[in-house]
Each structure stands twice: as C-alpha cells, then as structure tokens.
Amino acid sequence: MPVTEYKTTAFSDQKPGTSGLRKKTSVFMAEGYLENFIQAIFDVMSEREKISSMVVGGDGRFFNKDAIQVIIKIASANGCSRIMVARDGILSTPAASNIIRKYSLNGGIILSASHNPGGKDKDFGVKFNTSNGGPASSQITEAIFETSKRLMRYLMSDIPDLDLGKTGSFKTEDAEITVFDPVSDYVELMENIFDFDKIARLFRTQRFSMCFDAMNAVTGPYATAVFEKKLGAPQGSVIRSTPLEDFGGVHPDPNLNHAKELVSAMFSANGHDFGAASDGDGDRNMILGKNIFVSPGDSLAIIAANHHLIPAYAKGIKGVARSMPTSQAVDKVAKKLGIACYETPTGWKYFGNLLDSSLVTLCGEESFGTGSDHVREKDGLWAVLFWLNILASKEKSVSEIVMEHWRQFGRDFYSRHDYEGLDTQIANEFMENLRNKLHFFTGKGSGKYEVTWADDFSYIDPVDKSLTEKQGVRLGFSCGARAVFRLSGTGTKGATLRIYYEQPENDHQLFLNDPQLLLAQLIKNTADITRLQERTGRDKPDVIT
Ligand code: G1P
Ligand code: ZN
C-alpha cells in the first residue's frame, strides 16, 4: 500500500505520566498531535522490539474511534503486519492486556484517560503496552518522550477508514487487519480462573442480589456478559451498562463520591448483598456490601488471605506487592502466609517485572486497583469475581468477612486526601521543602504522634535493578501510623497533592469507628508539622477517599 510521509512540528509536552499520555481531548485533536506521539512509539520500538503485531481499542470516550483510524494507518505504514482492532473500538484495559498475551502480540495501544471524564472539552489519553501485556516501562516511555520532541515527520498508509462495527478480517498488501469481539476472550479467561458454577449457584439458590455500576463506560458489555448471561444474575443487576462517549456526563471513577446511585442502594434498608463498580477503562474496582464499603487496601488483604478459595490460586500464591502509599494490611497477610511482600512506586508498571519473574501473584494499589498474574494490568471485573467467589465459598456476608479479617489481622485505618488544581510551582515547592527537611521532622509532634522516621521513597527493581527515586515523602509516627505525600502523575490541570494517612489498630472496640474521626489527630498533627495550610493556601482537601 502506498505510504505518505507527513511533516509535523515536534511537540515538547508529550511526557507520559503514571499511566500513559493524558491531555485535554482538544489537545489530542490538534493537528499532528496524536500522530506525532504514535509515530514516536513506533520509532522507539523499531530499535527495541519492533511492533509487527498489535491490538488497538479504548474505553469508548469521545475521539476514541477517530484515533483508532489514525493508529491503524500509522501502524500499517510502520510495518505492523497484524493489527487487531476491538469491535466498535471498545476494549477494556485488562482485556487488551489479555489479547496481547493470548495472541503473542508485540504490543497494544489503549485509548483511555481511565477515570477522568470524557468529551470534547474533557480528557483523552494514550497508553502503550509492550509484549508482556503491561504498560511500557519508564525507560521506554522516557525514550518516546525524547523522540516526540525531535520528530519532524510521521508515516501513514493510504488505506480507507475501517468499518469498526463488523467483526472479520481483511488483508491489505502489507497487513492483516482483524476486527474482533472484545468480550469473548476475556470471559473465557475469567471462566478459567474462578468457579463459575459455584457463583451461579449463589445467584440461583440463595436469593443473592448484586448491583454492578458500569458508570456508562467500558465494562458494561463485559459485566452484562459475565454477571447476567453467564452467572445468571437477574437482568438489571448491571446498571449504566452502555458505554457512552461522555460517560453520560459522569466521572467514571468508582469511589464513594462518584457512584452515588450504587452507594445509596447499598446503604438503604433493603440494599443488595453485594455491590461493585468499575472505572472508564475497566481496570479499577470498588467493592461494597450491605451497609459497608471495603477499602481497596482491605480488599487486597482479604483477597490475599482467601486466595485458596479460588481455583486458579488454590495451589498457593508466590508473593504479593502493593504500591508504597497503599495500606499495609496486605503485609500482615503475607507475613502469616510466609510469602514475600514488595513495596513499589505508584503505578501499575512497577508490578510488571515482579509478575513476569513469578515473584508475586497478587498486587494492588490504594487507588481502587487490584490484579494478579493473569494479565499485566489491574483488573476491575476480576476483583469483583474474586469477591463473588469468596462470598459463594464462605456463605457469609461482606461485612462478616471484613470483620472476621480485622479480628484476625487488626484494622489499618486509611484515608487519602487530595488537594487538586494547585499551582504547579506551589506544589513543587511544597514537596521540595519536605524533601529538604526530612531530618528536621524527626522528633516533631508528641505522644502517639511523634515522628520517629522520615524519608523520600526510592525503589530498586529487584529484577532489572533500575532505580526510581523521589516517589513520595513519608513520615512515620511512634504509634505505627504513617503520612505519605506525593504529587499525582495523571492530572491534566495544575498539580494534585495527595496525602495518604494510615493508622493500624488492634483494639476490637475501635473497628467500627469512622476513619476520618479515628485519623483526625494524625491528620491535624501532620498538617501542623508540615505547615500544610500556610504553604499550600488550602485549609481542606478537595476530595477525601
Ligand atoms: C493514579 C493512582 C495510581 C494509579 C494511576 C493510574 O496515579 O494514584 O495508583 O496507578 O492513577 O490508574 P496518580 O494520579 O496518583 O499519579
Ligand atoms: Zn482505569
């Protein structure tokens, strides 16, 4: 097929963050912007692992389909001879990871800004995953950024736009392009992990009711296929199940603030037995029971403690990993199981080497992400199925399972406070100030809340020995509590300061306390020591999770 070379001006702002390149949709729609970044990916990989086969799809947000057409043309022009395209452009992040692994592709491009809102004046994103199915390493994303800054041309095959609505294959002179059903491979993978018969019996015999909120985003078709069609949950168990370009105007972020309908249904007199939600691209999850919210840190710990109930993990798990700011609840489970627990920087890509080298089986982040070695991304529906399988095996309620866990391991009270839209300079100065003053903090505060150690988290990858620095300032207190400070790497406007608070408690009498109340003293003490209000000009966080 003829290839046309287009001239482009290089862009200086295509630095991928925690999870790919994220910008306002209008930025991506500007002439040459998307093209430049995609070409940079192909240029970089041509010197590493050439992308001769790949998958492309996205979370269905505005500009998804147009971007896919562009990517197909650039891929084909750069010698990619096998291009798998998700039907209607709909492909969840974990399903994309599965496709790369199952069909031994060299990589994949996922179009998503995860839980950020979608639309012409909202957010868009591009994520590149490599042949292990996981997000490209920092070394690769850094090389893509460097290349994008110098790029003067991009290549496009002169092929017509593809009909994304119909499955099937067609061949051009250079490539085979296949539009595939994005749901079936994923459902098969889940059937091989979990005990579907047991979960189906739960729905059939025990009048068990669940509500899954797909938030008008990518998991709708997957959740309907799995929960309603395969497992026999009544029709309507999946709500907001059709992917919409603007997610119906909602923030497709599965947390207590954004899944209001689900939350009020779960906390009402005749609430469901089980509730869950996933985000824009299907990699996050929120777990709820009747009148109870399971924090992501607890969910990870409970999943690890109950792994033996799940067919795929019944023979044992190798180790666990969590991102540094994630609650240490899972560490206690790992200790009891006698397996390793790794603490990594924030971002799923840091789990890749651990999973590839079979050092860990399960991993998770406080930001509603949980997953295992079945793919190389976090996986929202997998976590929901994990819980359903636990519930079906134990024949207990969510709250009974959580209480039982706390009684055995203690409860890690946990909360994250986000200060959004800060002036970037103020935010950077605030962090620099903390970093320069680490030694000064020790001994500050008093009683239970005296600072006994402070550091700036850095990580040496146990597999490739690469060093990642400046991953968050940590203050450790005499009672075992922690406060962690870091700046978000996924925002699209200004800077977001995240402060994570954690306090372990073993006293059963305290277990039902509201985390904000229990943590109040720690929060106040931390603000005083770091002069948070004075330095940021903010007296309260914008979002509390
Ligand atoms: C956030 C989360 C992080 C997650 C990432 C991508 O990144 O904190 O755990 O991996 O989104 O989903 P942040 O904005 O904090 O850099
Ligand atoms: Zn996501």
Side-chain angles (χ1 to χ4, degrees), residues 53 64 68 100 103 108 146 165 193 247 292 302 314 337 343 367 372 401 418 431 479 496:
S53 57
N64 186 41
I68 288 174
I100 296 172
Y103 297 103
E146 287 307 320
I193 297 176
F247 306 122
I292 185 171
I302 291 168
L337 294 172
E343 187 174 40
S367 50
S372 88
I401 290 168
D418 294 334
M431 286 305 296
C479 64
T496 297

Side-chain angles (χ1 to χ4, degrees), residues 123-139:
D123 296 344
F124 195 78
V126 176
K127 214 164 72 163
F128 171 59
N129 283 25
T130 44
S131 59
N132 71 342
S137 66
S138 310
Q139 290 82 345

Side-chain angles (χ1 to χ4, degrees), residues 114-115 279 281-284 378:
S114 190
H115 50 289
D279 70 332
D281 62 328
D283 56 359
R284 296 186 175 201
K378 50 190 179 255

Side-chain angles (χ1 to χ4, degrees), residues 152-459:
M152 299 308 286
R153 57 95 186 90
Y154 61 88
L155 308 175
M156 271 192 156
S157 270
D158 301 332
I159 44 178
D161 275 359
L162 185 70
D163 179 356
L164 298 179
K166 263 200 279 174
T167 53
S169 285
F170 86 96
K171 283 198 165 86
T172 68
E173 271 163 49
D174 315 303
E176 180 177 23
I177 305 177
T178 308
V179 177
F180 68 97
D181 165 13
V183 176
S184 54
D185 289 301
Y186 181 79
V187 174
E188 191 186 306
L189 176 68
M190 293 300 112
E191 280 179 302
N192 289 332
I193 297 176
F194 299 104
D195 190 337
F196 269 42
D197 289 340
K198 198 177 254 174
I199 303 174
R201 272 202 298 281
L202 181 71
F203 283 114
R204 251 197 333 267
T205 55
Q206 302 184 3
R207 284 206 222 101
F208 177 86
S209 87
M210 98 175 244
C211 178
F212 177 84
D213 186 354
M215 307 194 87
N216 304 315
V218 82
T219 48
Y222 295 88
T224 308
V226 171
F227 303 130
E228 296 186 5
K229 301 219 174 87
K230 280 275 173 191
L231 297 169
Q235 222 183 346
S237 299
V238 179
I239 61 169
R240 301 201 278 183
S241 61
T242 307
L244 303 175
E245 286 200 332
D246 65 349
F247 306 122
V250 304
H251 227 95
D253 195 357
N255 61 38
L256 296 174
N257 299 318
H258 293 301
K260 287 233 158 62
E261 191 185 330
L262 170 70
V263 172
S264 60
M266 296 305 298
F267 285 81
S268 69
N270 44 10
H272 301 278
D273 301 295
F274 181 62
S278 195
D279 70 332
D281 62 328
D283 56 359
R284 296 186 175 201
N285 74 88
M286 172 169 69
I287 302 295
L288 300 159
K290 205 174 267 182
N291 296 311
I292 185 171
F293 157 70
V294 186
S295 79
D298 282 339
S299 176
L300 175 63
I302 291 168
I303 279 176
N306 290 286
H307 69 272
H308 56 281
L309 301 175
I310 313 300
Y313 311 105
K315 289 209 184 88
I317 51 175
K318 290 165 192 134
V320 293
R322 62 165 173 81
S323 64
M324 180 274 285
T326 301
S327 114
Q328 297 167 94
V330 72
D331 302 33
K332 295 171 193 165
V333 177
K335 194 163 173 218
K336 174 165 175 273
L337 294 172
I339 56 173
C341 176
Y342 295 85
E343 187 174 40
T344 60
T346 295
W348 206 260
K349 60 186 169 200
Y350 295 101
F351 295 134
N353 280 346
L354 300 173
L355 292 164
D356 285 347
S357 309
S358 298
L359 293 172
V360 305
T361 307
L362 302 175
C363 34
E365 295 191 278
E366 53 69 38
S367 50
F368 297 83
T370 334
S372 88
D373 57 1
H374 69 291
V375 287
R376 292 295 180 271
E377 289 279 3
K378 50 190 179 255
D379 189 344
L381 289 183
W382 170 90
V384 176
L385 282 164
F386 209 121
W387 268 91
L388 280 172
N389 205 148
I390 295 175
L391 293 168
S393 301
K394 291 202 145 191
E395 297 183 11
K396 288 186 175 153
S397 70
V398 173
S399 55
E400 283 167 339
I401 290 168
V402 172
M403 284 306 293
E404 222 172 55
H405 186 89
W406 288 342
R407 276 197 291 272
Q408 190 180 355
F409 294 97
R411 176 172 182 189
D412 280 69
F413 282 87
Y414 190 87
S415 184
R416 185 177 99 182
H417 288 197
D418 294 334
Y419 296 78
E420 296 180 340
L422 287 175
D423 178 83
T424 310
Q425 197 185 337
I426 291 180
N428 286 334
E429 276 171 15
F430 177 76
M431 286 305 296
E432 266 322 295
N433 202 287
L434 293 182
R435 288 199 169 96
N436 295 336
K437 281 218 181 135
L438 289 175
H439 59 280
F440 158 92
F441 290 122
T442 322
K444 291 279 175 315
S446 60
K448 249 178 114 168
Y449 298 109
E450 183 181 322
V451 177
T452 51
W453 60 274
D455 72 357
D456 186 3
F457 181 66
S458 66
Y459 177 70

